[in-house]
Amino acid sequence: MGRRPCIDPERLTVEAYRRTGEGVWTLRDVPNGELLYLDGLKLEIAWQRVFRNVVE
């Protein structure tokens, strides 16, 4: 089972965990403009779509 992404609507940041082929979990920031891949759901979503209803 995968780990959930960390989404911060106040800072407009996304962090995502991913398991490597060796079974090691890594954490990476998903930069604005990149796709967020949710392997467990077989889903990819645009960063902008994650925050589309957030008012700055």
Side-chain angles (χ1 to χ4, degrees), residues 2 5 19 21 29 35 43 49:
R19 189 172 10 192
D29 291 321
L35 291 174
L43 174 75
R49 188 134 188 222

Side-chain angles (χ1 to χ4, degrees), residues 11-36:
R11 293 179 41 225
L12 298 178
T13 59
V14 178
E15 297 175 332
Y17 288 95
R18 177 156 298 175
R19 189 172 10 192
T20 67
E22 295 80 35
V24 176
W25 288 98
T26 60
L27 177 64
R28 87 181 257 289
D29 291 321
V30 180
N32 183 345
E34 283 197 15
L35 291 174
L36 170 62

